[in-house]
Amino acid sequence: MNKTRLSLKAIFMATMMLCVSVAAFAQQRPQFDPLARLKQALQSANAPALTTAQEDQLKALIQQAREAHPGEPDPALKAAHDALEAAIFAGDQAAANTQAGIIAGLTTAMTNNRLKGHATFTIQALAVIKSNQAQLDALVQKIGSSGVVELMGSLVGGGRPGGFGGPCGP
């Protein structure tokens, strides 16, 4: 009985130590910094670092942009895809063509909205950098104006809109 009690105590203590170790490890994990690429680019270009105000403005813009585009698929698009699959399975070419047209229209509208949103975000984020001409000049000198536009647009995630890995790409 004593041995069993000691074994249970040992198992309990080992479990507690494991829990404490996992909790300590989880707290040590660094937070993701959405501005890391921009900060690195500024440093690489020998430009002044972002001010706290700039960081706060950019993080707020990033948050707004992410909230504006929900991650869930559009229910109308999903319904159209389901109807297309059903039409194909039934061998109904006319219904499949109709659903393909609906999917194309919905996809076009969604892409248009995403591109407009991406442009709005990039223009606003670029305005934050333009508030410090030395930062903008150094970045343009190092990566060119199109590189600056891509860098600022990438802060919200992904690459060039419509391109591979972008918010509208594959």
Side-chain angles (χ1 to χ4, degrees):
M1 184 87 150
N2 251 356
K3 275 188 171 183
T4 307
R5 200 173 244 176
L6 286 174
S7 295
L8 287 175
K9 282 184 179 180
I11 291 171
F12 177 75
M13 291 300 291
T15 304
M16 291 302 293
M17 292 299 291
L18 180 63
C19 289
V20 169
S21 298
V22 168
F25 178 73
Q27 290 177 354
Q28 293 174 0
R29 188 174 30 171
Q31 289 282 337
F32 171 72
D33 183 3
L35 303 176
R37 285 187 62 205
L38 175 58
K39 290 176 182 178
Q40 193 278 327
L42 287 167
Q43 184 179 19
S44 175
N46 294 318
L50 292 173
T51 65
T52 303
Q54 285 176 309
E55 286 192 29
D56 291 345
Q57 288 174 314
L58 289 169
K59 286 179 181 177
L61 288 172
I62 291 167
Q63 187 65 31
Q64 288 171 350
R66 288 182 178 162
E67 289 172 357
H69 295 287
E72 307 89 43
D74 179 36
L77 186 61
K78 182 176 179 349
H81 274 284
D82 291 346
L84 174 65
E85 289 174 9
I88 291 171
F89 188 75
D92 186 345
Q93 185 68 54
N97 289 348
T98 299
Q99 293 306 314
I102 291 170
I103 291 167
L106 290 171
T107 303
T108 298
M110 289 169 52
T111 301
N112 186 36
N113 289 337
R114 284 201 183 269
L115 288 171
K116 287 178 180 178
H118 192 268
T120 299
F121 168 80
T122 305
I123 289 167
Q124 292 172 340
L126 193 53
V128 174
I129 293 300
K130 285 181 176 181
S131 69
N132 184 328
Q133 193 63 41
Q135 288 173 330
L136 180 63
D137 291 344
L139 286 172
V140 169
Q141 177 82 24
K142 181 80 173 177
I143 60 176
S145 59
S146 64
V148 173
V149 169
E150 279 191 46
L151 174 65
M152 299 311 292
S154 74
L155 295 178
V156 78
R160 177 179 289 188
F164 184 78
C168 305

